[in-house]
Amino acid sequence: MVKHAKNFQQSSRNHLVALSEHDSIAAEQYRTIRSNIRFSFVDSPLQSLVVTSAGPSEGKSTTAANLAIVFANAGKRVLLVDGDLRRPTVAMTFDLPNVIGLSSLLIDQSRSYDDLIYKMSIDNLWILPSGPKPPNPSELLASNRMETIINELSDVFDLVIFDMPPVVNVSDAQIVAARVDGTIFVVRERKTPKKQALKAQELLKLAKANIVGVVYNGVSKNDKFDYYYY
C-alpha cells in the first residue's frame, strides 16, 4: 500500500522554489526547463530521466526536486527516486523517513514498490527514498533487478526522475543513465571546473546516455536569471 506523507511543510533548507516561490524568476526558469525537455521528446515518449552533475554540491538534487514539482504541476504523474545510495538527500528535502526505499527494493525481490513510495500532499507527486546505504551501490544499480524496476515504474508513472550521484566520482549515474530515456547534466557557476564538466560529458557519452541538456545554475544574484538550460 502506498504511504501517504503528512502535509509537506516547506522549510528554508528545502530550496524548492518551484513550490514556495511559484511566481519567482527561478521558478519560471524551471518551468522553461520543463518545456525544453518536452520539446526534446516531441517524437518519442519521455518516461524516465536521470539528473546528475560532475561533482558534489552543484545543485543536481535541487534541480531534480524542482523539476519533479513543475512536471507534477503540469498534470504529470511524477515519481522522484533518490538513486543516490551513497549520500541521499531526497528524504531530508521532503521531510520523509529513509528507513526503507530503493535499496530495499533492489535487495529484496519480494518487496513491492507500492509499500515503499510516498504520496506527497503536492498533487501528482510521489517519492521513493533511497533506503539504507548498501555496501555495493554500483552492483545493485547495474543488476537486472534495477532494469526491471525502471521498466515497472515507467509503466505506472508518467515520468520517473532519478536523482543520481555525481558522474565523475562513481559509476552509478552512468549505469542508470544508460537505461533511461534522457539525462540532465547540472553544472554550477564558479563551482564546476571546465575539465571536470568535460570529463563528466565524456563518461556519459561512453555510457551511451541520451544527454538532453545542461542546467547551468548558481548565477550571481546581480544577473537576470538564476538558472539556465541549454
Side-chain angles (χ1 to χ4, degrees), residues 79-134:
L79 175 66
L80 175 60
V81 180
D82 196 338
D84 193 337
L85 304 182
R86 302 169 191 269
R87 298 181 62 184
T89 61
V90 171
M92 181 175 64
T93 298
F94 288 92
D95 195 22
L96 297 171
N98 196 27
V99 179
I100 53 177
L102 177 60
S103 62
S104 312
L105 199 56
L106 286 166
I107 293 168
D108 185 354
Q109 296 196 23
S110 67
R111 281 191 177 276
S112 168
Y113 65 85
D114 283 336
D115 301 326
L116 306 178
I117 63 175
Y118 288 86
K119 174 64 183 75
M120 301 302 296
S121 56
I122 303 166
D123 288 345
N124 301 313
L125 181 62
W126 288 258
I127 304 288
L128 175 59
S130 67
K133 295 180 183 180

Short mmCIF file of all heavy atoms in Angstrom, two decimals, residues 79-134:
data_model
loop_
_atom_site.label_atom_id
_atom_site.label_comp_id
_atom_site.label_asym_id
_atom_site.label_seq_id
_atom_site.Cartn_x
_atom_site.Cartn_y
_atom_site.Cartn_z
N LEU A 79 7.14 10.39 -10.27
CA LEU A 79 7.81 9.72 -9.16
C LEU A 79 9.26 10.20 -9.12
O LEU A 79 10.00 10.04 -10.10
CB LEU A 79 7.78 8.20 -9.33
CG LEU A 79 8.57 7.40 -8.27
CD1 LEU A 79 7.95 7.56 -6.89
CD2 LEU A 79 8.67 5.94 -8.66
N LEU A 80 9.66 10.80 -8.01
CA LEU A 80 11.04 11.21 -7.81
C LEU A 80 11.74 10.12 -7.00
O LEU A 80 11.33 9.82 -5.88
CB LEU A 80 11.11 12.55 -7.07
CG LEU A 80 12.51 13.04 -6.67
CD1 LEU A 80 13.40 13.24 -7.90
CD2 LEU A 80 12.40 14.34 -5.87
N VAL A 81 12.78 9.53 -7.58
CA VAL A 81 13.51 8.43 -6.95
C VAL A 81 14.88 8.92 -6.51
O VAL A 81 15.61 9.49 -7.32
CB VAL A 81 13.68 7.25 -7.92
CG1 VAL A 81 14.45 6.11 -7.25
CG2 VAL A 81 12.33 6.76 -8.42
N ASP A 82 15.22 8.70 -5.25
CA ASP A 82 16.57 9.02 -4.80
C ASP A 82 17.47 7.84 -5.15
O ASP A 82 17.52 6.83 -4.47
CB ASP A 82 16.59 9.27 -3.29
CG ASP A 82 17.89 9.97 -2.87
OD1 ASP A 82 18.87 9.87 -3.62
OD2 ASP A 82 17.90 10.59 -1.78
N GLY A 83 18.18 7.98 -6.27
CA GLY A 83 19.09 6.94 -6.72
C GLY A 83 20.49 7.11 -6.19
O GLY A 83 21.40 6.35 -6.55
N ASP A 84 20.68 8.11 -5.32
CA ASP A 84 21.99 8.31 -4.69
C ASP A 84 22.04 7.45 -3.44
O ASP A 84 21.61 7.88 -2.36
CB ASP A 84 22.19 9.79 -4.36
CG ASP A 84 23.64 10.11 -4.00
OD1 ASP A 84 24.35 9.17 -3.57
OD2 ASP A 84 24.05 11.27 -4.12
N LEU A 85 22.55 6.25 -3.58
CA LEU A 85 22.59 5.30 -2.46
C LEU A 85 23.79 5.54 -1.56
O LEU A 85 24.01 4.79 -0.60
CB LEU A 85 22.63 3.86 -3.01
CG LEU A 85 21.48 3.48 -3.95
CD1 LEU A 85 21.62 2.01 -4.38
CD2 LEU A 85 20.13 3.72 -3.31
N ARG A 86 24.57 6.59 -1.85
CA ARG A 86 25.76 6.90 -1.06
C ARG A 86 25.55 8.12 -0.16
O ARG A 86 25.85 8.08 1.02
CB ARG A 86 26.95 7.14 -2.00
CG ARG A 86 27.24 5.94 -2.91
CD ARG A 86 28.23 6.29 -4.01
NE ARG A 86 28.31 5.23 -5.01
CZ ARG A 86 29.17 4.22 -4.96
NH1 ARG A 86 30.02 4.14 -3.95
NH2 ARG A 86 29.20 3.31 -5.91
N ARG A 87 25.01 9.19 -0.74
CA ARG A 87 24.75 10.42 0.03
C ARG A 87 23.35 10.92 -0.32
O ARG A 87 23.18 11.95 -0.98
CB ARG A 87 25.80 11.49 -0.28
CG ARG A 87 27.21 11.09 0.09
CD ARG A 87 28.21 12.20 -0.20
NE ARG A 87 27.93 13.40 0.59
CZ ARG A 87 28.60 14.54 0.46
NH1 ARG A 87 29.56 14.65 -0.44
NH2 ARG A 87 28.30 15.58 1.22
N PRO A 88 22.33 10.21 0.12
CA PRO A 88 20.95 10.57 -0.25
C PRO A 88 20.49 11.86 0.41
O PRO A 88 20.89 12.18 1.53
CB PRO A 88 20.14 9.38 0.27
CG PRO A 88 20.95 8.82 1.40
CD PRO A 88 22.38 9.02 1.00
N THR A 89 19.64 12.61 -0.31
CA THR A 89 19.13 13.88 0.23
C THR A 89 17.63 14.06 0.04
O THR A 89 17.03 14.94 0.66
CB THR A 89 19.84 15.08 -0.44
OG1 THR A 89 19.57 15.04 -1.85
CG2 THR A 89 21.34 15.04 -0.21
N VAL A 90 17.01 13.27 -0.83
CA VAL A 90 15.61 13.49 -1.17
C VAL A 90 14.69 13.37 0.05
O VAL A 90 13.79 14.19 0.25
CB VAL A 90 15.15 12.53 -2.28
CG1 VAL A 90 13.64 12.62 -2.49
CG2 VAL A 90 15.88 12.84 -3.59
N ALA A 91 14.92 12.35 0.89
CA ALA A 91 14.07 12.17 2.08
C ALA A 91 14.16 13.39 2.99
O ALA A 91 13.14 13.87 3.52
CB ALA A 91 14.49 10.91 2.83
N MET A 92 15.36 13.93 3.17
CA MET A 92 15.53 15.11 4.02
C MET A 92 14.85 16.33 3.39
O MET A 92 14.18 17.10 4.08
CB MET A 92 17.01 15.40 4.22
CG MET A 92 17.28 16.59 5.13
SD MET A 92 19.05 16.84 5.46
CE MET A 92 19.64 17.22 3.82
N THR A 93 14.97 16.47 2.08
CA THR A 93 14.35 17.61 1.40
C THR A 93 12.84 17.63 1.59
O THR A 93 12.24 18.68 1.81
CB THR A 93 14.69 17.57 -0.11
OG1 THR A 93 16.10 17.68 -0.28
CG2 THR A 93 13.99 18.70 -0.86
N PHE A 94 12.22 16.45 1.51
CA PHE A 94 10.76 16.36 1.61
C PHE A 94 10.28 15.91 2.99
O PHE A 94 9.12 15.56 3.16
CB PHE A 94 10.23 15.42 0.53
CG PHE A 94 10.30 16.02 -0.85
CD1 PHE A 94 11.41 15.81 -1.66
CD2 PHE A 94 9.26 16.81 -1.33
CE1 PHE A 94 11.48 16.35 -2.93
CE2 PHE A 94 9.33 17.36 -2.59
CZ PHE A 94 10.44 17.14 -3.40
N ASP A 95 11.20 15.92 3.96
CA ASP A 95 10.85 15.62 5.35
C ASP A 95 10.20 14.25 5.49
O ASP A 95 9.14 14.08 6.10
CB ASP A 95 9.93 16.71 5.91
CG ASP A 95 9.83 16.66 7.43
OD1 ASP A 95 10.75 16.10 8.07
OD2 ASP A 95 8.84 17.17 7.98
N LEU A 96 10.88 13.23 4.90
CA LEU A 96 10.38 11.86 4.93
C LEU A 96 11.37 10.95 5.66
O LEU A 96 12.57 11.22 5.67
CB LEU A 96 10.19 11.33 3.50
CG LEU A 96 9.18 12.03 2.61
CD1 LEU A 96 9.30 11.50 1.19
CD2 LEU A 96 7.76 11.81 3.15
N PRO A 97 10.89 9.85 6.22
CA PRO A 97 11.82 8.86 6.79
C PRO A 97 12.56 8.15 5.66
O PRO A 97 12.06 8.06 4.54
CB PRO A 97 10.90 7.90 7.54
CG PRO A 97 9.57 8.05 6.89
CD PRO A 97 9.48 9.48 6.43
N ASN A 98 13.74 7.67 5.95
CA ASN A 98 14.53 6.97 4.94
C ASN A 98 14.94 5.58 5.44
O ASN A 98 16.06 5.13 5.20
CB ASN A 98 15.77 7.79 4.56
CG ASN A 98 16.41 7.32 3.27
OD1 ASN A 98 15.74 6.75 2.41
ND2 ASN A 98 17.70 7.55 3.13
N VAL A 99 14.03 4.92 6.11
CA VAL A 99 14.31 3.60 6.69
C VAL A 99 14.30 2.53 5.60
O VAL A 99 15.09 1.59 5.63
CB VAL A 99 13.28 3.27 7.78
CG1 VAL A 99 13.55 1.89 8.36
CG2 VAL A 99 13.31 4.33 8.88
N ILE A 100 13.39 2.66 4.65
CA ILE A 100 13.31 1.74 3.52
C ILE A 100 13.18 2.56 2.24
O ILE A 100 12.76 3.72 2.28
CB ILE A 100 12.13 0.76 3.64
CG1 ILE A 100 10.82 1.53 3.87
CG2 ILE A 100 12.36 -0.25 4.76
CD1 ILE A 100 9.59 0.64 3.93
N GLY A 101 13.53 1.95 1.11
CA GLY A 101 13.45 2.68 -0.14
C GLY A 101 13.99 1.87 -1.29
O GLY A 101 13.83 0.64 -1.34
N LEU A 102 14.67 2.54 -2.23
CA LEU A 102 15.16 1.89 -3.44
C LEU A 102 16.10 0.73 -3.13
O LEU A 102 15.99 -0.34 -3.75
CB LEU A 102 15.88 2.91 -4.33
CG LEU A 102 16.51 2.36 -5.61
CD1 LEU A 102 15.46 1.73 -6.52
CD2 LEU A 102 17.27 3.47 -6.35
N SER A 103 17.01 0.91 -2.19
CA SER A 103 17.94 -0.18 -1.87
C SER A 103 17.20 -1.40 -1.34
O SER A 103 17.57 -2.54 -1.64
CB SER A 103 18.99 0.29 -0.85
OG SER A 103 18.38 0.68 0.37
N SER A 104 16.14 -1.18 -0.57
CA SER A 104 15.32 -2.29 -0.07
C SER A 104 14.68 -3.04 -1.22
O SER A 104 14.60 -4.28 -1.22
CB SER A 104 14.23 -1.76 0.87
OG SER A 104 14.74 -0.85 1.81
N LEU A 105 14.22 -2.29 -2.22
CA LEU A 105 13.58 -2.88 -3.39
C LEU A 105 14.58 -3.69 -4.21
O LEU A 105 14.24 -4.73 -4.77
CB LEU A 105 12.96 -1.75 -4.23
CG LEU A 105 11.87 -2.08 -5.25
CD1 LEU A 105 10.70 -2.79 -4.60
CD2 LEU A 105 11.41 -0.80 -5.93
N LEU A 106 15.81 -3.20 -4.27
CA LEU A 106 16.84 -3.89 -5.04
C LEU A 106 17.31 -5.17 -4.35
O LEU A 106 17.56 -6.18 -5.01
CB LEU A 106 18.03 -2.95 -5.25
CG LEU A 106 17.83 -1.83 -6.28
CD1 LEU A 106 18.92 -0.78 -6.14
CD2 LEU A 106 17.80 -2.39 -7.69
N ILE A 107 17.42 -5.12 -3.04
CA ILE A 107 17.98 -6.26 -2.29
C ILE A 107 16.95 -7.37 -2.11
O ILE A 107 17.26 -8.55 -2.21
CB ILE A 107 18.51 -5.78 -0.93
CG1 ILE A 107 19.72 -4.87 -1.14
CG2 ILE A 107 18.88 -6.95 -0.04
CD1 ILE A 107 20.15 -4.11 0.09
N ASP A 108 15.70 -6.98 -1.83
CA ASP A 108 14.66 -7.96 -1.53
C ASP A 108 13.64 -7.99 -2.66
O ASP A 108 12.78 -7.11 -2.77
CB ASP A 108 13.98 -7.58 -0.21
CG ASP A 108 12.94 -8.62 0.24
OD1 ASP A 108 12.68 -9.57 -0.53
OD2 ASP A 108 12.40 -8.46 1.35
N GLN A 109 13.72 -8.99 -3.51
CA GLN A 109 12.84 -9.06 -4.68
C GLN A 109 11.39 -9.37 -4.33
O GLN A 109 10.51 -9.26 -5.18
CB GLN A 109 13.39 -10.10 -5.67
CG GLN A 109 14.75 -9.74 -6.23
CD GLN A 109 15.10 -10.55 -7.47
OE1 GLN A 109 14.23 -11.06 -8.15
NE2 GLN A 109 16.39 -10.65 -7.75
N SER A 110 11.14 -9.74 -3.09
CA SER A 110 9.76 -10.00 -2.67
C SER A 110 9.02 -8.69 -2.36
O SER A 110 7.80 -8.68 -2.24
CB SER A 110 9.74 -10.92 -1.44
OG SER A 110 10.28 -10.27 -0.31
N ARG A 111 9.76 -7.60 -2.23
CA ARG A 111 9.14 -6.32 -1.91
C ARG A 111 8.48 -5.72 -3.14
O ARG A 111 8.93 -5.91 -4.27
CB ARG A 111 10.17 -5.33 -1.36
CG ARG A 111 10.53 -5.55 0.10
CD ARG A 111 11.34 -4.38 0.60
NE ARG A 111 11.66 -4.49 2.01
CZ ARG A 111 10.86 -4.11 2.99
NH1 ARG A 111 9.68 -3.60 2.72
NH2 ARG A 111 11.25 -4.22 4.25
N SER A 112 7.44 -4.94 -2.90
CA SER A 112 6.76 -4.21 -3.96
C SER A 112 7.00 -2.71 -3.76
O SER A 112 7.05 -2.23 -2.62
CB SER A 112 5.26 -4.49 -3.94
OG SER A 112 4.57 -3.59 -4.78
N TYR A 113 7.13 -2.00 -4.87
CA TYR A 113 7.33 -0.55 -4.77
C TYR A 113 6.14 0.12 -4.09
O TYR A 113 6.27 1.19 -3.48
CB TYR A 113 7.58 0.06 -6.14
CG TYR A 113 6.41 -0.03 -7.10
CD1 TYR A 113 5.40 0.92 -7.08
CD2 TYR A 113 6.31 -1.08 -8.01
CE1 TYR A 113 4.33 0.83 -7.93
CE2 TYR A 113 5.24 -1.17 -8.87
CZ TYR A 113 4.25 -0.21 -8.83
OH TYR A 113 3.18 -0.31 -9.68
N ASP A 114 4.96 -0.49 -4.19
CA ASP A 114 3.76 0.08 -3.55
C ASP A 114 3.97 0.29 -2.04
O ASP A 114 3.38 1.20 -1.45
CB ASP A 114 2.56 -0.85 -3.74
CG ASP A 114 1.98 -0.74 -5.14
OD1 ASP A 114 2.18 0.30 -5.77
OD2 ASP A 114 1.35 -1.70 -5.59
N ASP A 115 4.78 -0.56 -1.43
CA ASP A 115 4.99 -0.48 0.01
C ASP A 115 6.05 0.55 0.40
O ASP A 115 6.24 0.82 1.58
CB ASP A 115 5.43 -1.85 0.55
CG ASP A 115 4.40 -2.94 0.28
OD1 ASP A 115 3.20 -2.62 0.31
OD2 ASP A 115 4.81 -4.09 0.03
N LEU A 116 6.74 1.11 -0.60
CA LEU A 116 7.90 1.93 -0.29
C LEU A 116 7.77 3.38 -0.73
O LEU A 116 8.52 4.24 -0.25
CB LEU A 116 9.15 1.32 -0.97
CG LEU A 116 9.44 -0.14 -0.65
CD1 LEU A 116 10.65 -0.62 -1.42
CD2 LEU A 116 9.66 -0.35 0.84
N ILE A 117 6.86 3.68 -1.64
CA ILE A 117 6.75 5.05 -2.13
C ILE A 117 5.79 5.87 -1.26
O ILE A 117 4.89 5.34 -0.62
CB ILE A 117 6.31 5.10 -3.60
CG1 ILE A 117 4.90 4.50 -3.78
CG2 ILE A 117 7.31 4.39 -4.49
CD1 ILE A 117 4.38 4.64 -5.20
N TYR A 118 6.00 7.17 -1.26
CA TYR A 118 5.18 8.11 -0.50
C TYR A 118 4.39 9.00 -1.46
O TYR A 118 4.96 9.57 -2.40
CB TYR A 118 6.05 9.01 0.39
CG TYR A 118 6.64 8.29 1.57
CD1 TYR A 118 7.86 7.61 1.44
CD2 TYR A 118 6.01 8.30 2.80
CE1 TYR A 118 8.42 6.95 2.52
CE2 TYR A 118 6.57 7.65 3.90
CZ TYR A 118 7.77 6.98 3.74
OH TYR A 118 8.33 6.33 4.83
N LYS A 119 3.09 9.11 -1.22
CA LYS A 119 2.26 10.07 -1.96
C LYS A 119 2.34 11.38 -1.22
O LYS A 119 1.95 11.48 -0.06
CB LYS A 119 0.81 9.59 -2.03
CG LYS A 119 -0.13 10.62 -2.66
CD LYS A 119 0.22 10.87 -4.12
CE LYS A 119 -0.66 11.95 -4.74
NZ LYS A 119 -0.27 13.32 -4.29
N MET A 120 2.86 12.40 -1.88
CA MET A 120 3.00 13.70 -1.25
C MET A 120 1.69 14.48 -1.27
O MET A 120 0.79 14.18 -2.06
CB MET A 120 4.10 14.50 -1.96
CG MET A 120 5.46 13.82 -1.97
SD MET A 120 6.09 13.47 -0.30
CE MET A 120 6.29 15.13 0.34
N SER A 121 1.60 15.49 -0.42
CA SER A 121 0.42 16.35 -0.44
C SER A 121 0.42 17.24 -1.68
O SER A 121 -0.60 17.82 -2.03
CB SER A 121 0.38 17.21 0.82
OG SER A 121 1.57 17.97 0.96
N ILE A 122 1.56 17.34 -2.35
CA ILE A 122 1.65 18.04 -3.63
C ILE A 122 0.98 17.15 -4.69
O ILE A 122 1.32 15.98 -4.83
CB ILE A 122 3.13 18.29 -4.01
CG1 ILE A 122 3.84 19.08 -2.91
CG2 ILE A 122 3.23 19.00 -5.35
CD1 ILE A 122 5.34 19.08 -3.04
N ASP A 123 0.02 17.70 -5.41
CA ASP A 123 -0.72 16.91 -6.40
C ASP A 123 0.23 16.24 -7.40
O ASP A 123 1.18 16.86 -7.89
CB ASP A 123 -1.70 17.79 -7.16
CG ASP A 123 -2.89 18.21 -6.31
OD1 ASP A 123 -3.10 17.59 -5.25
OD2 ASP A 123 -3.59 19.16 -6.71
N ASN A 124 -0.05 14.97 -7.71
CA ASN A 124 0.65 14.22 -8.76
C ASN A 124 2.11 13.90 -8.46
O ASN A 124 2.86 13.55 -9.38
CB ASN A 124 0.58 14.97 -10.12
CG ASN A 124 -0.83 15.22 -10.58
OD1 ASN A 124 -1.66 14.32 -10.56
ND2 ASN A 124 -1.11 16.45 -10.98
N LEU A 125 2.51 14.01 -7.20
CA LEU A 125 3.92 13.77 -6.87
C LEU A 125 4.06 12.64 -5.85
O LEU A 125 3.42 12.66 -4.81
CB LEU A 125 4.58 15.04 -6.33
CG LEU A 125 6.07 14.91 -5.96
CD1 LEU A 125 6.90 14.56 -7.18
CD2 LEU A 125 6.58 16.19 -5.31
N TRP A 126 4.91 11.68 -6.20
CA TRP A 126 5.25 10.58 -5.31
C TRP A 126 6.77 10.55 -5.12
O TRP A 126 7.51 11.02 -5.99
CB TRP A 126 4.81 9.24 -5.90
CG TRP A 126 3.35 8.98 -5.89
CD1 TRP A 126 2.65 8.18 -5.02
CD2 TRP A 126 2.36 9.48 -6.81
NE1 TRP A 126 1.31 8.17 -5.34
CE2 TRP A 126 1.10 8.96 -6.43
CE3 TRP A 126 2.44 10.33 -7.92
CZ2 TRP A 126 -0.07 9.25 -7.12
CZ3 TRP A 126 1.27 10.65 -8.61
CH2 TRP A 126 0.03 10.11 -8.20
N ILE A 127 7.22 10.01 -3.99
CA ILE A 127 8.65 9.95 -3.67
C ILE A 127 9.04 8.53 -3.30
O ILE A 127 8.36 7.87 -2.51
CB ILE A 127 9.01 10.88 -2.49
CG1 ILE A 127 8.58 12.32 -2.75
CG2 ILE A 127 10.51 10.79 -2.17
CD1 ILE A 127 9.38 13.05 -3.78
N LEU A 128 10.17 8.06 -3.85
CA LEU A 128 10.79 6.81 -3.42
C LEU A 128 12.15 7.16 -2.84
O LEU A 128 13.08 7.49 -3.60
CB LEU A 128 10.94 5.83 -4.59
CG LEU A 128 11.68 4.52 -4.27
CD1 LEU A 128 10.98 3.74 -3.16
CD2 LEU A 128 11.81 3.67 -5.54
N PRO A 129 12.31 7.13 -1.51
CA PRO A 129 13.62 7.44 -0.90
C PRO A 129 14.67 6.40 -1.29
O PRO A 129 14.36 5.36 -1.89
CB PRO A 129 13.32 7.38 0.61
CG PRO A 129 11.83 7.48 0.73
CD PRO A 129 11.28 6.84 -0.50
N SER A 130 15.90 6.67 -0.92
CA SER A 130 17.00 5.76 -1.28
C SER A 130 16.98 4.49 -0.45
O SER A 130 17.39 3.43 -0.92
CB SER A 130 18.33 6.47 -1.09
OG SER A 130 18.56 6.73 0.30
N GLY A 131 16.53 4.59 0.81
CA GLY A 131 16.62 3.45 1.72
C GLY A 131 17.99 3.35 2.35
O GLY A 131 18.84 4.22 2.16
N PRO A 132 18.25 2.29 3.12
CA PRO A 132 19.54 2.12 3.81
C PRO A 132 20.70 2.09 2.82
O PRO A 132 20.57 1.58 1.71
CB PRO A 132 19.39 0.77 4.52
CG PRO A 132 17.91 0.53 4.59
CD PRO A 132 17.32 1.19 3.40
N LYS A 133 21.84 2.62 3.25
CA LYS A 133 23.01 2.63 2.38
C LYS A 133 23.59 1.22 2.25
O LYS A 133 24.00 0.62 3.25
CB LYS A 133 24.08 3.57 2.94
CG LYS A 133 23.67 5.02 2.97
CD LYS A 133 24.79 5.88 3.54
CE LYS A 133 24.36 7.34 3.64
NZ LYS A 133 25.44 8.20 4.20
N PRO A 134 23.65 0.68 1.04
CA PRO A 134 24.19 -0.68 0.85
C PRO A 134 25.71 -0.62 0.68
O PRO A 134 26.27 0.44 0.35
CB PRO A 134 23.52 -1.13 -0.44
CG PRO A 134 23.37 0.14 -1.22
CD PRO A 134 23.12 1.24 -0.20
#
